[in-house]
Amino acid sequence: MREHYRAAGIDETGLGGTPFQQFTRWFQEAVGSGLYEPNAMVVGTVDAAGRPSSRTVLMKSFDERGFVFYTNYGSRKGRELAGNPHVSLLFPWHPIARQVIVTGVAHRTGRDETAAYFRTRPHGSQLGAWASAQSSVVGAREELDRAYAELADRYPPGEQVPVPPEWGGFRVVPEAVEFWQGRENRLHDRLRYVRTPDGEGWRIERLSP
């Protein structure tokens, strides 16, 4: 199973001045292409022994400060990020032969920012955040359904659901962002923004495919 990419390439002269400007361009193009859930990204973390784990989550916002997602802080990723905040994000836009790889450091969002986002979630998703102790062992599906039903009785539609204390956001502040464009003969374009030592700017480097 091998796909022969024929997409147009990217070069240094056409890149945005910052990785966030370039990501905005590519993200808009991914959305415009009809890609399913273009904000889906693979989050990679490591535990105290250095063993990696990965999962797909949805990016909920991004700006010059970084990329934001939300989770249960008691989940596996939440616990691992508490012990080691270094993280990677991968946006796998395979249908348009593109990837974006972010490496950086995760910081918890403030409670006000978390609460503001939580209020925008569908009512059922708000209840689900309470019903599931994410990553913990559960005996049967019925336990989750029962917990959800009890919460639905306590907080019917229209009733404000409080933000769970162990639920919140992470903002990944990038140290490097790589833009990967598939090219024919496996001579892909890989252009990476790396934060300068003073933390104020970015340098761009080309990587061999």
Side-chain angles (χ1 to χ4, degrees):
M1 294 184 289
R2 179 177 294 273
E3 182 69 28
H4 295 285
Y5 304 121
R6 302 245 191 274
I10 54 172
D11 59 40
E12 293 81 348
T13 60
L15 291 179
T18 71
F20 306 105
Q21 293 171 359
Q22 183 63 29
F23 184 84
T24 297
R25 294 177 187 174
W26 271 26
F27 186 70
Q28 291 173 344
E29 290 174 10
V31 172
S33 73
L35 206 63
Y36 178 71
E37 291 191 330
N39 61 324
M41 60 186 185
V42 179
V43 177
T45 58
V46 295
D47 66 12
R51 292 170 297 203
S53 62
S54 302
R55 74 289 293 159
T56 302
V57 305
L58 296 179
M59 176 192 68
K60 290 303 179 180
S61 66
F62 72 93
D63 56 24
E64 294 287 332
R65 296 173 296 168
F67 302 83
V68 177
F69 67 92
Y70 292 86
T71 188
N72 186 311
Y73 289 138
S75 66
R76 179 174 180 176
K77 60 184 170 296
R79 296 193 308 270
E80 291 182 350
L81 288 173
N84 182 348
H86 292 276
V87 62
S88 71
L89 311 176
L90 167 64
F91 294 86
W93 296 332
H94 302 307
I96 56 175
R98 286 179 174 176
Q99 299 180 77
V100 179
I101 304 167
V102 179
T103 54
V105 178
H107 304 268
R108 289 190 181 190
T109 59
R111 292 309 290 174
D112 288 346
E113 183 176 355
T114 290
Y117 169 69
F118 189 79
R119 300 283 175 246
T120 70
R121 303 186 90 205
H123 183 72
S125 297
Q126 293 181 8
L127 297 179
W130 278 99
S132 171
Q134 194 176 65
S135 299
S136 64
V137 176
V138 61
R141 172 73 195 199
E142 289 73 20
E143 294 180 25
L144 289 173
D145 293 337
R146 184 166 54 252
Y148 183 91
E150 291 171 356
L151 287 160
D153 288 339
R154 190 185 314 168
Y155 301 107
E159 185 81 14
Q160 187 176 80
V161 181
V163 183
E166 281 301 303
W167 189 93
F170 283 106
R171 174 173 284 104
V172 177
V173 179
E175 297 174 342
V177 183
E178 178 185 331
F179 293 85
W180 183 100
Q181 174 70 69
R183 300 293 301 276
E184 62 181 344
N185 300 319
R186 291 302 186 259
L187 294 177
H188 313 306
D189 285 327
R190 297 176 60 191
L191 294 174
R192 181 170 64 185
Y193 291 78
V194 180
R195 197 179 290 274
T196 56
D198 62 9
E200 299 298 322
W202 300 90
R203 73 173 189 272
I204 298 173
E205 53 193 19
R206 177 176 285 272
L207 303 178
S208 295

